[in-house]
Amino acid sequence: MFTLVLIPLRFKNRSPNLLRALYSSQPQQESKKDIGKVVNVAIVGAPNAGKSTLINRIVDRKICAASNKVHTTTKMVRAMCYDKDTQIVFLDTPGVVNTKEQKKYKLPESMLQACQKSLRCADVIGVVHDVSNRWTKNYLNTDVVKIVEMVKEIPSFLILNKQYLINNAKVRTLQYSPTEWSDQTPERLIEEAVRAKFLDFLANEIPYNLKIRLEYYDEIEEEDRIVCSVSVECPSERLARLISGAGGGRLQQIKSHVRNDLMEMFKKTVLIDLKLHVKSKPELENVV
């Protein structure tokens, strides 16, 4: 559980899409042109500090992929919620990483700039800090401190309170329709949900070597359900067998957990098929 308190941050003397553009439960409206109160909230912190989980609990949807391993979030994702006439746009960012971590986990180059990008869009910065870690609970990650110091003029708080965010909203053109709750396509959301579950179920760096791609997606509105199929590419037969488990049991378990997360996300029935296959080796060209 999160404790929601207001703690202003003060730093002194420290060194420096396929089917739809957006998912919505109703047809798109022209309300993006409406004027209302909007607050952009960048959520930053060290890897696995609980940023995505915090946002999911506030918006009451599993929009942001979350797992028990570091680097589940690899790009900035927006999640929206509303309080009366105020639109709150949460910017979920990857954990602040250094070059060494990027190489170790084979993280995309764009991940390193994601936090800076979110700060440029923010009216408020929320710094999520993991106080359950006895080794780091008494001080903030130095890389996180440096990135927040780059924008000292923006209000920043250590543990967030939704009511405070509303007080920082500004009158402007609404960025999203009230029927929208994420800036990601349903295809992207499904891929990230699958990836997060592989991170949960597989040990060490195995899940970081998988390529996950949505092959089929269909939203059947009259039946209030979604049907989809996801391809998971493995680098070797041995790894594929390890992931599948005895009799395919582990893969079925992952599939069941993914389905539950997607149903909580989309608020409707979801049927999903996970297909595991081995990466094909390129044919050698004849040398003359």
Side-chain angles (χ1 to χ4, degrees):
M1 296 296 292
F2 285 96
T3 301
L4 301 181
V5 296
L6 299 179
I7 307 177
L9 297 183
R10 295 290 183 268
F11 302 124
K12 296 181 179 179
N13 301 322
R14 291 183 181 267
S15 58
N17 253 286
L18 299 178
L19 297 177
R20 290 183 183 77
L22 289 169
Y23 173 82
S24 65
S25 57
Q26 300 177 12
Q28 295 295 319
Q29 307 292 328
E30 293 297 325
S31 55
K32 285 188 179 181
K33 299 180 181 179
D34 292 346
I35 301 297
K37 290 196 295 182
V38 178
V39 57
N40 294 294
V41 187
I43 305 297
V44 300
N48 215 35
K51 301 178 292 296
S52 299
T53 302
L54 173 62
I55 294 174
N56 287 341
R57 289 186 179 181
I58 292 176
V59 303
D60 195 28
R61 288 180 186 264
K62 281 198 173 181
I63 295 172
C64 305
S67 79
N68 56 18
K69 288 190 175 67
V70 297
H71 309 309
T72 303
T73 303
T74 58
K75 63 175 289 185
M76 186 176 75
V77 174
R78 291 179 174 85
M80 289 76 76
C81 70
Y82 307 86
D83 188 286
K84 298 179 181 178
D85 62 341
T86 300
Q87 183 178 81
I88 305 174
V89 182
F90 290 99
L91 312 176
D92 186 27
T93 64
V96 179
V97 297
N98 52 41
T99 305
K100 181 179 178 180
E101 285 182 297
Q102 185 214 0
K103 292 180 179 178
K104 177 181 178 181
Y105 294 100
K106 300 180 181 179
L107 303 173
E109 289 282 349
S110 58
M111 185 172 172
L112 300 176
Q113 288 81 41
C115 286
Q116 289 92 331
K117 179 181 178 181
S118 71
L119 295 180
R120 290 195 295 269
C121 304
D123 301 307
V124 185
I125 301 170
V127 179
V128 178
H129 182 57
D130 182 8
V131 294
S132 67
N133 187 325
R134 64 174 179 157
W135 305 108
T136 61
K137 68 179 182 179
N138 293 324
Y139 59 90
L140 290 177
N141 180 290
T142 55
D143 292 328
V144 174
V145 172
K146 289 177 183 178
I147 202 171
V148 175
E149 282 188 324
M150 294 168 56
V151 284
K152 292 181 179 179
E153 70 281 3
I154 301 177
S156 56
F157 291 83
L158 188 55
I159 302 178
L160 303 181
N161 181 291
K162 182 179 175 181
Q163 183 61 41
Y164 175 80
L165 302 180
I166 294 172
N167 293 337
N168 279 269
K170 301 174 182 178
V171 177
R172 62 179 71 150
T173 302
L174 292 181
Q175 299 170 356
Y176 303 95
S177 163
T179 62
E180 295 172 331
W181 39 265
S182 175
D183 70 330
Q184 302 296 293
T185 64
E187 294 85 357
R188 177 68 179 179
L189 290 170
I190 291 170
E191 289 174 347
E192 289 302 296
V194 171
R195 195 170 69 88
K197 276 295 165 279
F198 276 104
L199 285 167
D200 271 341
F201 278 83
L202 302 178
N204 302 322
E205 299 175 20
I206 293 175
Y208 300 100
N209 295 315
L210 304 178
K211 291 186 178 180
I212 297 169
R213 182 172 61 89
L214 185 74
E215 291 188 328
Y216 177 79
Y217 173 90
D218 186 22
E219 181 183 354
I220 308 172
E221 295 185 1
E222 60 271 20
E223 298 179 12
D224 201 29
R225 67 172 178 166
I226 290 172
V227 179
C228 58
S229 178
V230 177
S231 167
V232 181
E233 183 183 275
C234 305
S236 69
E237 289 281 0
R238 183 190 65 81
L239 188 57
R241 290 194 298 269
L242 178 64
I243 293 171
S244 184
R250 178 184 284 126
L251 188 62
Q252 287 302 313
Q253 193 177 10
I254 294 173
K255 174 182 173 181
S256 177
H257 281 75
V258 170
R259 180 175 178 271
N260 290 338
D261 282 357
L262 293 177
M263 289 177 67
E264 185 175 341
M265 177 193 299
F266 291 108
K267 304 298 184 184
K268 58 179 62 179
T269 300
V270 176
L271 302 179
I272 182 170
D273 183 27
L274 286 183
K275 298 179 179 179
L276 202 61
H277 65 94
V278 179
K279 180 180 180 181
S280 58
K281 297 181 180 180
E283 295 183 2
L284 297 177
E285 294 183 358
N286 294 326
V287 179
V288 180

